[in-house]
Amino acid sequence: MRIYKECLYCGKELTGRTDKKFCDPQCKSGYQYQKEKQNPERFYNKVDNQLKLNRKILKEFNKGGKVTIRTEVLKELGFNPNFFTHYWKNTKGDVYLFVFEYGFLKKTELGKDKYILVTWQDYMEKA
């Protein structure tokens, strides 16, 4: 006695095992993708996606190891400074927020908000 008569994704008639749900791996994958798309995004996924986006943006703009860039430029691309993985405080008391190996420090110069972008250095571990 067959449990499922048709593929749950494409509707083709199933042959083979009696407990088979899908006609091939592509239909199984497509079904799971559709099912997951209907679920609201979980908090973990939102955080993970934002961290990945922040890292990608910081990496793109920090090619030289230390760069200054206007805040609006990063925020227009979806950068959110509230999502970071750790921080480092230098001897002057400035707190750099890091997204994995890429860090940023918010500064205001001449009334303009800017970020100083840096990359993680070995000496930062000792502080």
Side-chain angles (χ1 to χ4, degrees):
M1 176 180 206
R2 180 167 290 287
I3 298 170
Y4 300 99
K5 293 183 180 184
E6 297 173 345
C7 174
L8 293 178
Y9 186 67
C10 70
K12 283 185 188 174
E13 188 177 338
L14 295 174
T15 59
R17 293 179 24 197
T18 58
D19 62 341
K20 193 173 181 182
K21 296 180 184 180
F22 306 99
C23 56
D24 59 31
Q26 289 78 17
C27 280
K28 182 178 181 181
S29 178
Y31 178 82
Q32 290 171 341
Y33 176 75
Q34 277 306 104
K35 188 176 169 186
E36 192 59 38
K37 239 173 102 172
Q38 294 170 355
N39 292 338
E41 192 173 25
R42 295 187 323 230
F43 177 73
Y44 169 82
N45 291 347
K46 287 180 184 178
V47 172
D48 189 48
N49 289 339
Q50 187 62 55
L51 285 172
K52 287 177 183 175
L53 178 61
N54 281 359
R55 182 185 181 278
K56 179 182 172 187
I57 292 168
L58 292 173
K59 181 181 180 183
E60 179 66 31
F61 284 97
N62 192 1
K63 303 257 189 230
K66 186 175 181 184
V67 177
T68 303
I69 190 161
R70 289 191 324 259
T71 303
E72 311 91 63
V73 174
L74 297 183
K75 287 192 175 180
E76 284 173 6
L77 295 171
F79 181 79
N80 186 337
N82 297 321
F83 290 83
F84 56 92
T85 55
H86 60 287
Y87 67 92
W88 174 72
K89 189 175 184 178
N90 68 10
T91 54
K92 296 179 193 173
D94 296 327
V95 178
Y96 286 81
L97 302 177
F98 279 82
V99 181
F100 304 106
E101 72 272 32
Y102 298 102
F104 59 97
L105 172 68
K106 187 171 185 175
K107 288 278 188 183
T108 303
E109 295 176 357
L110 303 171
K112 304 266 186 195
D113 288 333
K114 299 178 180 185
Y115 285 120
I116 298 172
L117 308 182
V118 297
T119 54
W120 185 260
Q121 304 295 318
D122 290 336
Y123 70 84
M124 294 176 177
E125 288 181 33
K126 297 172 183 128

mmCIF file of all heavy atoms in Angstrom, residues 1-2 7 11 21 28 37 67 73 76 81 85:
data_model
loop_
_atom_site.group_PDB
_atom_site.id
_atom_site.type_symbol
_atom_site.label_atom_id
_atom_site.label_comp_id
_atom_site.label_asym_id
_atom_site.label_seq_id
_atom_site.Cartn_x
_atom_site.Cartn_y
_atom_site.Cartn_z
ATOM 1 N N MET A 1 0.842 -1.183 0.000
ATOM 2 C CA MET A 1 0.000 0.000 0.000
ATOM 3 C C MET A 1 0.887 1.247 0.000
ATOM 4 O O MET A 1 1.702 1.440 0.885
ATOM 5 C CB MET A 1 -0.900 -0.014 1.233
ATOM 6 C CG MET A 1 -1.747 1.208 1.366
ATOM 7 S SD MET A 1 -2.738 1.039 2.839
ATOM 8 C CE MET A 1 -4.059 2.040 2.387
ATOM 9 N N ARG A 2 0.726 2.083 -1.002
ATOM 10 C CA ARG A 2 1.530 3.279 -1.166
ATOM 11 C C ARG A 2 0.970 4.397 -0.290
ATOM 12 O O ARG A 2 -0.215 4.695 -0.294
ATOM 13 C CB ARG A 2 1.526 3.702 -2.633
ATOM 14 C CG ARG A 2 2.348 4.955 -2.878
ATOM 15 C CD ARG A 2 2.597 5.194 -4.349
ATOM 16 N NE ARG A 2 3.499 4.237 -4.951
ATOM 17 C CZ ARG A 2 4.827 4.208 -4.741
ATOM 18 N NH1 ARG A 2 5.379 5.064 -3.938
ATOM 19 N NH2 ARG A 2 5.574 3.321 -5.333
ATOM 20 N N CYS A 7 4.281 12.878 -6.249
ATOM 21 C CA CYS A 7 5.377 13.668 -5.706
ATOM 22 C C CYS A 7 4.802 14.908 -5.018
ATOM 23 O O CYS A 7 3.935 15.583 -5.581
ATOM 24 C CB CYS A 7 6.326 14.084 -6.826
ATOM 25 S SG CYS A 7 7.644 15.208 -6.337
ATOM 26 N N GLY A 11 4.022 16.721 -8.415
ATOM 27 C CA GLY A 11 2.763 16.028 -8.669
ATOM 28 C C GLY A 11 2.867 14.810 -9.579
ATOM 29 O O GLY A 11 1.853 14.178 -9.890
ATOM 30 N N LYS A 21 8.292 10.018 -1.102
ATOM 31 C CA LYS A 21 7.525 11.263 -1.142
ATOM 32 C C LYS A 21 7.828 12.111 -2.368
ATOM 33 O O LYS A 21 7.012 12.921 -2.780
ATOM 34 C CB LYS A 21 7.830 12.110 0.100
ATOM 35 C CG LYS A 21 7.419 11.497 1.406
ATOM 36 C CD LYS A 21 7.778 12.425 2.551
ATOM 37 C CE LYS A 21 7.469 11.811 3.885
ATOM 38 N NZ LYS A 21 7.829 12.724 4.989
ATOM 39 N N LYS A 28 12.732 17.124 -4.014
ATOM 40 C CA LYS A 28 12.845 17.168 -2.550
ATOM 41 C C LYS A 28 13.428 18.515 -2.120
ATOM 42 O O LYS A 28 12.926 19.172 -1.209
ATOM 43 C CB LYS A 28 13.717 16.023 -2.039
ATOM 44 C CG LYS A 28 13.842 15.988 -0.544
ATOM 45 C CD LYS A 28 14.667 14.798 -0.086
ATOM 46 C CE LYS A 28 14.766 14.782 1.431
ATOM 47 N NZ LYS A 28 15.568 13.665 1.924
ATOM 48 N N LYS A 37 10.673 28.952 2.782
ATOM 49 C CA LYS A 37 10.367 30.322 2.373
ATOM 50 C C LYS A 37 9.081 30.835 3.013
ATOM 51 O O LYS A 37 8.923 32.026 3.258
ATOM 52 C CB LYS A 37 10.219 30.377 0.848
ATOM 53 C CG LYS A 37 11.191 31.320 0.172
ATOM 54 C CD LYS A 37 11.085 31.194 -1.299
ATOM 55 C CE LYS A 37 10.293 32.347 -1.855
ATOM 56 N NZ LYS A 37 10.299 32.401 -3.303
ATOM 57 N N VAL A 67 41.074 52.901 7.090
ATOM 58 C CA VAL A 67 40.397 53.781 6.144
ATOM 59 C C VAL A 67 39.357 54.599 6.896
ATOM 60 O O VAL A 67 38.777 54.128 7.870
ATOM 61 C CB VAL A 67 39.680 52.940 5.048
ATOM 62 C CG1 VAL A 67 38.899 53.804 4.092
ATOM 63 C CG2 VAL A 67 40.662 52.074 4.301
ATOM 64 N N VAL A 73 27.579 56.375 3.612
ATOM 65 C CA VAL A 73 27.992 55.468 2.538
ATOM 66 C C VAL A 73 27.754 54.017 2.963
ATOM 67 O O VAL A 73 27.201 53.223 2.197
ATOM 68 C CB VAL A 73 29.479 55.687 2.169
ATOM 69 C CG1 VAL A 73 29.959 54.659 1.168
ATOM 70 C CG2 VAL A 73 29.678 57.094 1.629
ATOM 71 N N GLU A 76 23.831 53.224 3.570
ATOM 72 C CA GLU A 76 23.069 53.074 2.320
ATOM 73 C C GLU A 76 23.170 51.658 1.770
ATOM 74 O O GLU A 76 22.270 51.184 1.091
ATOM 75 C CB GLU A 76 23.558 54.064 1.266
ATOM 76 C CG GLU A 76 23.094 55.484 1.498
ATOM 77 C CD GLU A 76 23.717 56.484 0.531
ATOM 78 O OE1 GLU A 76 24.434 56.056 -0.405
ATOM 79 O OE2 GLU A 76 23.495 57.693 0.721
ATOM 80 N N PRO A 81 25.482 49.211 12.497
ATOM 81 C CA PRO A 81 26.537 49.182 13.511
ATOM 82 C C PRO A 81 26.131 48.493 14.813
ATOM 83 O O PRO A 81 26.983 48.249 15.658
ATOM 84 C CB PRO A 81 26.832 50.664 13.755
ATOM 85 C CG PRO A 81 25.574 51.364 13.378
ATOM 86 C CD PRO A 81 24.988 50.561 12.253
ATOM 87 N N THR A 85 30.663 41.389 16.495
ATOM 88 C CA THR A 85 31.009 40.141 17.185
ATOM 89 C C THR A 85 31.816 40.375 18.458
ATOM 90 O O THR A 85 31.723 39.579 19.385
ATOM 91 C CB THR A 85 31.797 39.210 16.243
ATOM 92 O OG1 THR A 85 32.943 39.912 15.739
ATOM 93 C CG2 THR A 85 30.920 38.740 15.090
#
